[in-house]
Each structure stands twice: as structure tokens, then as C-alpha cells.
Amino acid sequence: MGRGKDNYGNDYDFDFITDTKQFYMMVGNHKYVPEFIEENHYGFNHQENGYAYELFYYPEEKEHFIWKMNVSVSQFEHVQLVYALQLINPQKKAGEYGEYDEDGHLFKEGLKTNTQAILHPIDSFSKELEPEEFLFPTVSYKVIETNVNEPEKPSETIKTEVKKSTPVTTSPVATGDDTKQEFWYALLGLSISTLLLLLIKHYKTRRE
């Protein structure tokens, strides 16, 4: 997940929210909610031979997840994974932290929602293609100083929605092999868009 230094030199760190109500996936207009398989392992769209899609979450020092597709994916149906992140160390001093860049094309330094995102495509002949790297969306949040004459209010939670849409294009491959593979992926021309829901705790401070 995203971590690094903000525009003031402060450390920031985002955590993936594992509550199954906080993430889901879309295939075209079809929504699939996750099913718990075991700790940090979730499935989507249960079928006779297992799940069509799986999510493996690794919360260790280099926090990341792997989104696995066990069925063919068509370039005519966009695939999206929608999930939530929480900023675990928000700042308390008044100011605006980070810079907003919806899809990463401005190449801002922070606050990055992820530090690496790579697609590993496999064609319909089970041939691995060149990995495709995605850009890094960034977000920002603002801490407002409370006037000393105003009564203190409890902390608020702000929900910021960021949408990332990044097309991935690969060279066409000749078809004609109808043999069913155990993990038959058709990731050619896949367009993935990731919708990140960031939960940022907003703290209010007073002037001394």
C-alpha cells in the first residue's frame, strides 16, 4: 500500500481495510462481493470448480495484495477492484498534506495510494506477456485549525473518493485454440480501473 513522505517531510502510511464490506469487484456492470476463504484470502463469484477471482492480502512489512483471475477476461468488460485504505498516521497540525492526482499522470510525490501496481498478463495460449506497470494516483487532505472561541468538536472522519482509470493494451494474438486450460486467462486489451476509497481521519487542533 502507499507510504512515504508528505510535502512537509512527515511519514505517511496507508493500510488496506480487510472488512469485507469495504471492498468488492466489478466485471462490466456485474458486482461481486468477497467471500471469506481463510485469513487474508478472499474469493469472488463462486463457481463449481472454485472462485472465478481471488484476492490474497499480505499485511507484512511490504504490505501488498495479489488479485488473481481464474477465468478468461474480455477486453469488452472492464474489470475493477474497489477497496478502501485508511491513513494510519494523519497529521494534527493545520495545513494541507499531499497533492491530488486522480490517475497519476501528473507524477506527484504524495500521498501515493500505492507504491507499485503491476499487471502480469497471460494470453489464451497460456503464454506470459510483458508485465504492465500502472501510474500512482495521489490524494491530499486538509487539517483546519479551530478558533479558540469556538467550542471543541469531536474528530470527524472524511471519506474521499478517488477513481483511477488506466487502459492497458497488448498486441493481438491469433485465436483458434479452444482447449480449456486450468487457468485460462485472456488478458489481452484488458482495461482495469481501480476505485480507491480512502478513509482519512480529520483532526482539528486549537491555537495555543
Side-chain angles (χ1 to χ4, degrees):
M1 303 298 106
R3 61 172 58 88
K5 300 281 187 182
D6 64 22
N7 47 315
Y8 292 100
N10 304 302
D11 290 327
Y12 71 88
D13 191 358
F14 287 107
D15 269 0
F16 178 73
I17 299 179
T18 57
D19 183 350
T20 53
K21 295 181 180 179
Q22 296 292 334
F23 63 96
Y24 59 91
M25 64 169 291
M26 299 288 297
V27 180
N29 295 322
H30 299 282
K31 178 179 179 179
Y32 298 106
V33 296
E35 295 182 19
F36 180 84
I37 298 177
E38 59 183 353
E39 185 177 11
N40 298 323
H41 183 193
Y42 308 89
F44 303 86
N45 188 16
H46 189 269
Q47 300 182 350
E48 183 178 351
N49 296 325
Y51 289 94
Y53 313 91
E54 295 176 79
L55 183 70
F56 300 86
Y57 172 57
Y58 300 90
E60 293 83 9
E61 183 179 349
K62 293 184 178 180
E63 182 189 16
H64 67 284
F65 61 73
I66 295 176
W67 185 23
K68 184 180 179 183
M69 303 179 188
N70 300 324
V71 295
S72 58
V73 177
S74 169
Q75 61 179 337
F76 303 108
E77 285 190 312
H78 290 188
V79 179
Q80 303 176 67
L81 178 63
V82 182
Y83 60 98
L85 299 175
Q86 183 172 8
L87 180 61
I88 64 173
N89 52 349
Q91 299 301 309
K92 298 180 180 180
K93 185 178 179 180
E96 185 167 353
Y97 300 88
E99 295 180 280
Y100 179 80
D101 181 6
E102 181 178 16
D103 57 13
H105 75 284
L106 298 177
F107 300 100
K108 300 295 184 180
E109 288 301 316
L111 309 169
K112 291 180 179 178
T113 58
N114 57 278
T115 57
Q116 189 178 52
I118 303 176
L119 171 68
H120 295 274
I122 302 175
D123 67 17
S124 56
F125 298 101
S126 299
K127 178 183 177 181
E128 294 186 9
L129 304 178
E130 288 295 321
E132 300 277 352
E133 290 198 38
F134 292 91
L135 299 176
F136 307 129
T138 60
V139 295
S140 64
Y141 69 99
K142 182 180 291 186
V143 177
I144 301 174
E145 190 172 23
T146 303
N147 191 306
V148 292
N149 295 323
E150 294 180 357
E152 186 175 0
K153 297 180 181 180
S155 299
E156 300 176 357
T157 298
I158 297 177
K159 190 175 184 180
T160 305
E161 185 174 291
V162 180
K163 186 174 182 180
K164 171 188 173 187
S165 181
T166 307
V168 176
T169 305
T170 57
S171 301
V173 175
T175 58
D177 182 2
D178 296 326
T179 303
K180 184 176 180 182
Q181 304 293 332
E182 181 178 2
F183 296 111
W184 184 36
Y185 306 112
L187 295 178
L188 302 182
L190 173 65
S191 177
I192 294 181
S193 56
T194 305
L195 180 67
L196 306 178
L197 299 179
L198 306 179
L199 300 179
I200 301 177
K201 291 185 178 178
H202 179 206
Y203 286 83
K204 293 187 176 181
T205 59
R206 288 185 169 184
R207 284 198 188 96
E208 295 183 355

